[in-house]
Amino acid sequence: MPENWGFIETMAFITNRTEVVDSLTDQRNDEASILKLLAYFDIFHYPLTKNEIRQFLSRSDDEQSLDKILKEVLARQAVFLHLGFYSLHNNPLLSHRRTEGNARAEAMLPKAFTIGKFLYRFPFVRAVGISGSLSKNFADEKADIDFFIITKARRLWLARTIMHLFKKFTFITGHQHYFCMNYYIDEDALLIESRNIFTAIEIATLLPVAGKETIDNFFAINKWSRDFFASRENKMVENSKPGINWFKRAVEWVFDNGIGNRLDNWLLKITTLRWQQKSKEGKRNKNGNTMHLVTGKHFSRSNPGAFQEKVLAKYEQKLIDLKLR
């Protein structure tokens, strides 16, 4: 027997014990990640499939480990399973609601892609994506079609104004809810500064419609969102070239100068003042939320009723509830 056999045995024991502890720690971390993920989507009463959970895990994991963790949390009734959907609540109605919402979304998505390609033809628009609940494959009875739009640098407010002038005409036919252009950024501001689970999920679920190069740049610059979801892959837009759009080219040629710069700044100023007045007067949208627009030279973001802040506050409360459980 080697003289240092006792030392070797001791080191082997420590190594094995460390591996077991690390394994248990990893499992607890993955379990916590699953519960946090379900807690976030529970804000929207939206249970998840096993595949969605795997895609949204904070770190990539194998199928066998995920199955084991899900079986354990189901056995403890920390999580419940109905119709293939996992939730924090033992409520089958959530699964039925999701199934119906998925069916409506599948019916709406072709129209959303058609409209998105149409919006891409407006002057100074460089990319269009579908956002909101529809990008997560859900639509309720009053669902809008929300769009995320990237414009040419320093021409966001020209692009936005032209597009919203067009939207005025959609009220005549009652189709204004198909053209909810809620979030604009330009090519000088592709990085989303607000780094939290809300914005990470919006980036992860964005459905690109047109503008492959710009969308690819957007995803690359915002790769920080992968810190939240290591296994989630961004959707890619088809590399299709739209036909020649003389209106788009002509308008861009006319305003590709100092006049365009001044006009863009002026439109930013008057739009900001107009929306500040709406918020001050307490005007509300169709859902009863106070109308609010967050503006800057390189971005425009609708935030009715401080929606993002409320979601994050609810999420923090749900995390506290999980700890108490």
Side-chain angles (χ1 to χ4, degrees):
M1 181 179 294
E3 293 181 2
N4 60 345
W5 184 256
F7 173 76
I8 293 173
E9 270 192 319
T10 302
M11 290 306 297
F13 172 78
I14 292 173
T15 301
N16 291 336
R17 184 178 178 86
T18 301
E19 288 176 353
V20 170
V21 171
D22 287 345
S23 176
L24 290 172
T25 300
D26 288 343
Q27 180 171 326
R28 292 192 191 100
N29 289 339
D30 284 341
E31 182 178 321
S33 295
I34 291 170
L35 294 175
K36 288 177 181 179
L37 180 65
L38 292 175
Y40 181 83
F41 280 93
D42 187 60
I43 296 170
F44 307 97
H45 313 295
Y46 195 74
L48 299 178
T49 65
K50 183 173 74 172
N51 186 50
E52 288 167 339
I53 292 172
R54 182 173 57 250
Q55 290 180 353
F56 279 112
L57 276 178
S58 57
R59 72 180 186 86
S60 181
D61 212 338
D62 61 89
E63 187 88 12
Q64 189 175 2
S65 297
L66 178 59
D67 285 340
K68 179 183 177 183
I69 297 169
L70 288 175
K71 285 179 181 178
E72 290 180 0
V73 292
L74 286 171
R76 296 204 317 268
Q77 293 190 331
V79 172
F80 300 90
L81 177 64
H82 294 288
L83 300 177
F85 300 113
Y86 293 85
S87 170
L88 296 179
H89 302 286
N90 189 16
N91 184 0
L93 293 178
L94 293 174
S95 299
H96 289 291
R97 175 181 178 273
R98 166 162 177 172
T99 302
E100 293 175 356
N102 290 161
R104 280 191 292 266
E106 289 174 7
M108 288 181 68
L109 277 169
K111 183 185 292 291
F113 275 96
T114 299
I115 293 172
K117 290 175 181 177
F118 169 72
L119 295 176
Y120 181 71
R121 300 176 68 84
F122 276 75
F124 304 112
V125 174
R126 295 296 178 262
V128 177
I130 299 168
S131 60
S133 63
L134 197 57
S135 70
K136 299 159 190 67
N137 196 36
F138 183 84
D140 61 21
E141 296 85 350
K142 300 179 180 180
D144 296 327
I145 300 179
D146 298 314
F147 291 101
F148 173 78
I149 296 167
I150 303 175
T151 73
K152 177 180 171 66
R154 296 176 296 282
R155 290 295 181 272
L156 184 152
W157 292 98
L158 264 167
R160 185 186 181 281
T161 300
I162 294 170
M163 297 174 84
H164 279 259
L165 285 174
F166 162 78
K167 184 177 178 178
K168 297 293 183 184
F169 292 99
T170 66
F171 282 86
I172 298 174
T173 59
H175 291 109
Q176 67 275 9
H177 57 288
Y178 289 159
F179 296 87
C180 296
M181 299 162 283
N182 293 327
Y183 203 147
Y184 287 80
I185 60 174
D186 75 13
E187 292 174 313
D188 277 350
L190 294 180
L191 178 66
I192 304 298
E193 299 285 354
S194 179
R195 302 187 181 190
N196 54 57
I197 190 171
F198 181 94
T199 51
I201 285 180
E202 292 307 304
I203 293 169
T205 58
L206 183 69
L207 294 179
V209 175
K212 177 176 173 56
E213 183 178 351
T214 303
I215 285 285
D216 287 348
N217 289 338
F218 171 76
F219 285 142
I221 289 174
N222 289 284
K223 61 184 179 181
W224 62 263
S225 62
R226 300 296 299 276
D227 295 339
F228 286 82
F229 316 115
S231 304
R232 181 79 183 188
E233 295 291 336
N234 294 121
K235 301 289 186 180
M236 294 293 108
V237 64
E238 294 181 7
N239 193 17
S240 57
K241 298 290 184 181
I244 296 175
N245 185 341
W246 295 110
F247 171 70
K248 183 171 184 170
R249 288 189 177 185
V251 173
E252 291 186 4
W253 179 79
V254 169
F255 292 106
D256 189 20
N257 48 42
I259 294 174
N261 292 335
R262 290 191 292 274
L263 182 57
D264 195 78
N265 291 333
W266 181 73
L267 290 170
L268 163 61
K269 181 179 179 179
I270 64 170
T271 305
T272 300
L273 291 173
R274 178 168 163 264
W275 276 87
Q276 286 176 346
Q277 186 63 30
K278 285 184 178 182
S279 298
K280 184 178 179 180
E281 294 174 358
K283 290 189 176 181
R284 300 180 180 274
N285 60 17
K286 67 174 186 178
N287 297 318
N289 295 316
T290 304
M291 300 174 70
H292 183 57
L293 188 72
V294 184
T295 62
K297 176 61 179 174
H298 304 288
F299 65 90
S300 169
R301 176 171 62 88
S302 177
N303 190 29
F307 179 72
Q308 182 178 153
E309 291 78 7
K310 287 181 179 179
V311 168
L312 292 174
K314 288 180 180 179
Y315 178 61
E316 289 298 322
Q317 183 58 52
K318 284 187 176 292
L319 293 185
I320 294 172
D321 293 342
L322 280 175
K323 288 180 181 179
L324 294 175
R325 287 171 58 183

